Amino acid sequence: MMNVFDIVGPVMIGPSSSHTAGAVRIGRVARALLGCEPVSAQILLHGSFAKTYKGHGTDKALIAGIMGMATDDERIRFSPRLAEEAGLSVSILPTEIDGAHPNTALITLADATGRTVSVQGASVGGGNILVTRVNGMEVQITGQYTSLIVLHQDTPGTIAAVTELLAEGQVNICNFRLSRQKKGGVAVMTIEMDGGFDPALNRRIEALPHILSSTMLLPN
């Protein structure tokens, strides 16, 4: 199956859908998971991203996404300067990540209180992305569906409590993944859903026992 988006690619600024549009989307996911304005960003680039990021504007695209810009925002080319003016400190370094897709970025953001989030994502072609790790835990987030990223304590009944609320809200789950650091430690649920999602329902999930945070990601 192939849709029009697969053929013509996204509406975007920049020379490459993989190196520009996809990079913007990875940055936007990292910003959304932090949940507030970042003050610092460490960006590690792997594979093709590390080799060609300056020529393809991948660095500018990632910074733009971290600042909340869309793929067609004309300010993308000026994002390093705009980040500096906004007080966002950025460092970009090449790295090697075992088994990672060639177009991979590992982004660590911090807010003014010192809270951090780490996101590893790959640009897999045509502006599409796959986020594979959040805070070191394995996930699978495509950015093509409304998604919930639920950090929680690994305790019995927590998954059931979340999915029961989703069932009450008539939400249809199309993808579900669970990852944890260790038994009884911090775990993450990745839930992708068909259709829309009421933010009020997310607030009910956040209020459940043992939930550390629940972040709603809209298709980007």
Side-chain angles (χ1 to χ4, degrees):
M1 295 291 291
M2 181 174 290
N3 60 34
V4 173
F5 179 82
D6 294 322
I7 299 169
V8 303
V11 177
M12 52 167 264
I13 299 292
S16 165
S17 59
S18 291
H19 288 247
T20 308
V24 170
R25 288 183 167 132
I26 295 169
R28 285 172 61 88
V29 169
R31 178 189 176 91
L33 289 173
L34 183 67
C36 60
E37 202 69 36
V39 298
S40 69
Q42 180 193 69
I43 303 172
L44 302 180
L45 300 177
H46 166 81
S48 178
F49 267 11
K51 294 181 177 70
T52 65
Y53 73 91
K54 289 184 178 179
H56 284 170
T58 308
D59 52 343
K60 297 175 181 178
L62 288 165
I63 294 169
I66 290 167
M67 296 183 72
M69 298 181 199
T71 57
D72 60 349
D73 195 311
E74 294 184 356
R75 298 172 298 164
I76 289 174
R77 69 197 69 184
F78 309 118
S79 63
R81 174 174 59 81
L82 295 174
E84 183 178 0
E85 292 173 356
L88 173 61
S89 172
V90 179
S91 67
I92 300 177
L93 295 169
T95 193
E96 292 288 337
I97 303 174
D98 288 344
H101 186 280
N103 296 335
T104 292
L106 175 57
I107 302 172
T108 302
L109 301 182
D111 67 14
T113 70
R115 190 171 67 90
T116 65
V117 67
S118 172
V119 174
Q120 180 177 314
S123 180
V124 296
N128 298 305
I129 67 170
L130 180 65
V131 175
T132 55
R133 288 187 178 271
V134 172
N135 292 342
M137 292 179 286
E138 291 186 10
V139 300
Q140 286 194 356
I141 306 167
T142 65
Q144 296 179 359
Y145 301 94
T146 301
S147 305
L148 284 183
I149 313 301
V150 185
L151 289 173
H152 60 97
Q153 293 294 331
D154 181 36
T155 55
T158 301
I159 295 174
V162 171
T163 55
E164 283 174 10
L165 280 182
L166 293 177
E168 286 180 22
Q170 300 294 303
V171 172
N172 188 53
I173 297 173
C174 58
N175 292 300
F176 180 96
R177 185 182 180 92
L178 176 70
S179 179
R180 65 183 186 181
Q181 295 172 334
K182 61 180 181 180
K183 183 178 180 180
V186 175
V188 59
M189 283 181 254
T190 309
I191 306 169
E192 293 186 322
M193 298 160 285
D194 294 319
F197 182 76
D198 186 351
L201 186 55
N202 190 42
R203 291 192 289 272
R204 291 181 64 192
I205 291 172
E206 286 187 300
L208 289 171
H210 311 299
I211 300 297
L212 303 176
S213 68
S214 181
T215 303
M216 181 174 67
L217 298 177
L218 298 175
N220 66 13

